[in-house]
């Protein structure tokens, strides 16, 4: 599952191949769309959730409140079913899906005129930590490189060589995870959110708070 | 399924408390709470993004703690209830997502319920079944409402509400003016015990004969208190903090209890329930007791720990939903930051009693 970007995406992988998947792009309805998508994917595969032996979740980076939907859903599945949760960087899923075998970058929309990004040596090898920056501030460092993801399309001046895919797919994330699991299970992240930004510490007017004892 | 004593787990994340409660009918089995209030204190109020992040961190550990405390297996639950609203959107979303995932994984019906109705229903855990109808005065930092409920699962009518600040908000703001820190309720309550409630005649909002009978206003009071303090300071005089606290608190609880008792009399209701964080205020409890007794009204106030936001209240309402065979919510259930108080719960769109059961039964452990 991955809900760190506008895509709400779920896939079921049996260790050999993707059995079923669902992807919807709707940045405002992660909470409503995720569980029905899980249900659809399982139904399509003719399986029940308790057949699942592991949960893979994109941990971001992501600006959307939706990032938490995927993470808390994965944690709850893990707790209820007693199966492990494996975290993967959301950008790694996009990189893997691109299949590019030369140096490139991935950029997703971080809003506030910024992108989340990382550099890759090839589709399986991330060369930098994920960062959050203004496109103009990293354009020079990424000059001449293909850039995968919605961030590239949003800022064509900074990233002229935009490549597919535009959106995250859980199918790619699951395939990448299956590779890692088959190779011994190294290289996963803790299933914790990668925000890369401090929270806006603004108390809104008429904030809601129950005065605690 | 136990028809009259359902075993329900309830999740509450509408503000800064991650609450998980487990009830069996009207018996409380567990009430686990993780609060991020300390993180918000230096900002003077709840910061939504900080609250949401804290909910995500605490959510599953708090659920597991509640299950351990209650000593029940999740497989034995009759349902999972969650606050669907009102509250902070991002905070609600964490709880709703967790509840949906547990309900789906365990094959249990899901009940998205109303936070305010839960505040009322929690009293069942303390004083047994709610009388029908019940008058409820809900007072906290987020709400100040007079509600009349003939059936807590289906019929909650708003009689009045604050037209500006919530009562708890006024406590917080006055505490800030007096440099007493956040939250303001407990510290003002404590200082007021040593002050004179009649020392300063602060205004009683919306108390004129032509004002709305059941609405509240605390904004004018807040300004009057702040001005009074500033005038003292400007004149170089010491601010009598205890007398200010007592007089301010008296103005708040005087209006709250007067209007609540009047609503009971007007509607012919002989029970008054007081809930919400401000119901922990000792003077509110004492004055309500006094006025209800004089009016022949039975007062029900849950213990302070059940008045503030918690998961037990959500479980209590969820249990009532199961007992009364209300339709479950569906997997599309969304967090609704402005869920109307008239919706005690959010039934699935199909309004088909068995819909969620059917969907989730397929995922039951065999
Ligand atoms: Zn509340």
């Amino acid at each position: 599952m991955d809900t760190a970007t506008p895509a709400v995406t779920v896939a079921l992988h049996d260790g050999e191949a993707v059995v079923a998947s669902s992807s919807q792009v709707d940045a405002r309805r992660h909470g409503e769309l995720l569980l029905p998508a899980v249900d659809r994917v399982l139904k399509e595969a003719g399986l029940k959730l308790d057949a699942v032996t592991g949960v893979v979740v994109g941990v971001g980076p992501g600006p959307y409140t939706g990032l938490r939907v995927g993470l808390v859903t994965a944690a709850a599945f893990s707790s209820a079913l007693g199966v492990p949760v494996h975290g993967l960087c959301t950008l790694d899923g996009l990189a893997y899906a691109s299949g590019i075998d030369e140096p490139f970058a991935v950029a997703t929309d971080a809003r506030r005129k910024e992108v989340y990004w990382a550099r890759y040596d090839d589709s399986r090898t991330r060369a930098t930590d994920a960062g959050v920056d203004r496109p103009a501030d990293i354009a020079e460092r990424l000059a001449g490189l293909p850039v995968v993801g919605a961030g590239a399309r949003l800022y064509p001046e900074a990233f002229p060589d935009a490549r597919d895919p535009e959106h995250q797919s859980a199918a790619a994330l699951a395939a990448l995870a299956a590779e890692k699991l088959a190779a011994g299970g190294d290289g996963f992240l803790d299933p914790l959110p990668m925000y890369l930004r401090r929270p806006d510490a603004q108390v809104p007017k008429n904030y809601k708070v129950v005065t605690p004892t | 399924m136990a028809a009259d004593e359902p075993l329900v787990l309830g999740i509450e994340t509408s503000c800064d408390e991650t609450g998980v409660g487990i009830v069996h009918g009207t018996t409380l089995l567990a009430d686990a709470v993780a609060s991020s209030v300390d993180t918000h204190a230096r900002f003077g109020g709840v910061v939504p993004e900080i609250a949401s992040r804290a909910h995500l961190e605490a959510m599953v550990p708090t659920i597991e703690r509640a299950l351990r405390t209650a000593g029940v297996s999740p497989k034995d639950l009759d349902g999972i209830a969650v606050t669907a609203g009102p509250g902070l959107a991002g905070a609600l979303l964490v709880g709703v997502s967790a509840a949906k995932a547990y309900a789906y994984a365990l094959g249990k019906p899901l009940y998205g319920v109303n936070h305010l109705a839960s505040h009322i229903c929690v009293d069942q855990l303390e004083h047994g079944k709610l009388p029908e109808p019940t008058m409820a005065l809900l007072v906290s930092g987020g709400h100040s409402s007079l509600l009349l409920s003939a059936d807590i699962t289906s019929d909650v009518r708003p009689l009045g509400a604050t037209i500006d600040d919530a009562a708890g908000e006024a406590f917080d703001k006055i505490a800030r003016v007096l440099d007493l820190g956040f939250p303001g309720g407990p510290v003002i309550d404590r200082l007021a015990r040593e002050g004179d409630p009649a020392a300063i005649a602060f205004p009683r909002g919306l108390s004129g004969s032509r004002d709305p009978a059941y609405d509240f206003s605390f904004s004018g009071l807040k300004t009057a208190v702040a001005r009074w303090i500033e005038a003292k300071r400007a004149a170089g005089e010491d601010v009598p903090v205890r007398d200010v606290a007592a007089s301010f608190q008296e103005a708040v609880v005087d209006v709250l209890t007067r209007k609540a008792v009047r609503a009971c009399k007007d509607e012919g209701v002989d029970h008054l329930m007081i809930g919400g964080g401000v119901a922990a205020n000792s003077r509110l409890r004492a004055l309500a007791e006094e006025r209800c007794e004089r009016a022949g009204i039975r007062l029900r106030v849950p213990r302070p720990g059940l008045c503030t936001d918690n998961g037990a209240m959500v479980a209590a309402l969820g249990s009532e939903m199961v007992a009364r065979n209300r339709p479950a919510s569906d997997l599309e259930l969304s967090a609704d930051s402005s869920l109307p108080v008239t919706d005690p719960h959010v039934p699935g769109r199909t309004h088909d009693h068995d819909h969620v059961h059917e969907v989730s039964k397929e995922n039951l452990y065999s």
Side-chain angles (χ1 to χ4, degrees):
Chain A
M1 302 183 291
D2 193 306
T3 60
T5 69
V8 177
T9 175
V10 178
L12 188 68
H13 196 290
D14 67 2
E16 303 276 315
V18 171
V19 180
S21 67
S22 160
S23 280
Q24 292 153 288
V25 177
D26 185 343
R28 305 179 146 270
R29 298 180 58 223
H30 289 62
E32 287 148 67
L33 296 176
L34 182 60
L35 246 291
V38 170
D39 189 46
R40 232 178 9 253
V41 164
L42 285 167
K43 278 210 172 96
E44 199 182 315
L47 290 170
K48 301 170 189 175
L49 188 63
D50 62 359
V52 165
T53 54
V55 180
V56 177
V57 63
V59 301
Y64 297 96
T65 303
L67 168 62
R68 285 186 280 266
V69 171
L71 284 166
V72 81
T73 300
F77 280 171
S78 163
S79 167
L81 300 168
V83 297
V85 188
H86 309 289
L88 279 178
C89 176
T90 293
L91 304 179
D92 289 1
L94 281 152
Y96 184 83
S98 77
I100 298 175
D101 278 328
E102 53 177 342
F104 69 103
V106 173
T108 58
D109 182 13
R111 298 193 294 197
R112 300 183 202 175
K113 295 178 179 160
E114 292 185 321
V115 291
Y116 292 118
W117 69 281
R119 269 184 65 150
Y120 288 80
D121 291 335
D122 59 58
S123 62
R124 286 178 178 81
T125 317
R126 181 152 40 80
T128 64
D129 283 339
V132 59
D133 285 286
R134 284 177 171 266
D137 295 343
I138 54 170
E140 208 167 302
R141 290 164 69 185
L142 302 183
L145 294 182
V147 182
V148 168
R153 290 158 198 259
L154 274 171
Y155 303 101
E157 314 82 48
F159 313 120
D161 188 3
R163 299 283 182 91
D164 281 339
E166 181 179 1
H167 291 294
Q168 171 74 323
S169 84
L173 204 67
L176 174 60
E179 269 191 26
K180 286 181 189 284
L181 287 169
D186 288 339
F188 288 109
L189 303 172
D190 287 335
L192 302 172
M194 198 189 287
Y195 295 118
L196 300 189
R197 279 189 186 127
R198 304 177 77 80
D200 285 330
Q202 290 276 329
V203 177
K205 269 195 166 173
N206 298 319
Y207 62 87
K208 293 206 179 225
V209 52
V210 172
T211 305
T213 33
Chain B
M1 180 185 303
D4 54 343
E5 297 221 312
L7 183 66
V8 171
L9 180 141
I11 296 175
E12 151 65 31
T13 62
S14 69
C15 195
D16 61 335
E17 322 272 357
T18 313
V20 181
I22 297 174
V23 306
H24 187 211
T26 58
T27 307
L28 178 63
L29 301 183
D31 182 18
V33 180
S35 176
S36 61
V37 66
D38 293 343
T39 331
H40 303 284
R42 65 194 176 99
F43 303 105
V46 171
V47 181
E49 177 62 16
I50 290 177
S52 298
R53 291 184 181 194
H55 284 310
L56 174 60
E57 235 171 86
M59 189 73 263
V60 168
T62 309
I63 291 171
E64 290 178 345
R65 183 151 56 91
L67 286 166
R68 270 198 312 275
T69 306
V72 301
S73 160
K75 288 177 194 134
D76 296 332
L77 293 170
D78 293 310
I80 292 180
V82 62
T83 304
L88 299 168
L92 288 167
L93 186 59
V94 175
V96 168
S97 299
K100 288 205 276 193
Y102 267 95
Y104 183 76
L106 299 167
K108 305 295 180 186
L110 170 75
Y111 297 87
V113 301
N114 190 298
H115 180 79
L116 299 179
S118 301
H119 266 306
I120 300 174
C121 199
V122 73
D123 193 51
Q124 295 203 142
L125 304 179
E126 188 106 319
H127 299 112
K129 286 281 180 189
L130 280 173
E132 294 179 340
T134 286
M135 186 68 68
L137 171 67
L138 293 189
V139 271
S140 74
H143 15 268
S144 304
S145 309
L146 260 174
L147 305 167
L148 179 60
S149 170
D151 176 340
I152 197 60
T153 63
S154 67
D155 182 1
V156 179
R157 256 201 302 149
L159 296 185
T162 180
I163 59 166
D164 39 57
D165 295 345
E169 234 178 318
F171 274 90
D172 288 339
K173 281 174 183 168
I174 295 308
R176 216 179 305 170
V177 176
L178 289 170
D179 292 321
L180 300 174
F182 170 88
V187 60
I188 286 183
D189 191 357
R190 199 168 61 241
L191 289 169
R193 273 172 226 168
E194 297 157 24
D196 176 4
I200 311 149
F202 287 129
R204 267 65 170 163
L206 294 186
S207 287
S209 55
R210 304 177 66 177
D211 286 327
Y214 309 132
D215 283 340
F216 304 106
S217 166
F218 298 106
S219 173
L221 168 64
K222 181 190 72 189
T223 310
V225 176
R227 285 218 181 108
W228 194 93
I229 295 166
E230 277 153 25
K232 279 279 168 194
R233 284 176 181 155
E237 295 174 39
D238 283 343
V239 176
V241 176
R242 287 168 175 78
D243 285 348
V244 172
S247 300
F248 156 74
Q249 177 176 278
E250 195 67 13
V252 174
V253 305
D254 178 24
V255 177
L256 289 173
T257 53
R258 190 184 301 277
K259 294 200 174 206
V261 168
R262 172 159 177 203
C264 288
K265 285 184 180 165
D266 290 354
E267 298 285 337
V269 176
D270 60 1
H271 279 81
L272 173 66
M273 182 273 162
I274 305 184
V278 177
N281 182 278
S282 64
R283 180 58 188 153
L284 175 62
R285 287 174 173 243
L287 191 57
E289 193 77 60
E290 195 184 308
R291 287 182 169 167
C292 281
E293 202 181 314
R294 217 181 302 146
I297 297 164
R298 241 198 81 202
L299 179 68
R300 292 168 58 126
V301 192
R303 63 177 178 271
L306 293 179
C307 285
T308 48
D309 290 352
N310 60 76
M313 67 192 214
V314 180
L317 183 53
S319 178
E320 203 57 46
M321 292 291 170
V322 177
R324 299 195 184 207
N325 204 23
R326 299 295 175 213
S329 305
D330 58 29
L331 293 178
E332 285 86 18
L333 176 69
S334 52
D336 182 351
S337 59
S338 52
L339 185 68
V341 65
T342 44
D343 293 353
H345 83 302
V346 184
R349 279 167 213 170
T350 58
H351 290 258
D352 174 352
H353 281 227
D354 292 326
H355 175 66
V356 166
H357 279 279
E358 275 169 15
V359 169
S360 39
K361 241 179 222 158
E362 298 185 2
N363 295 286
L364 273 169
Y365 295 102
S366 40

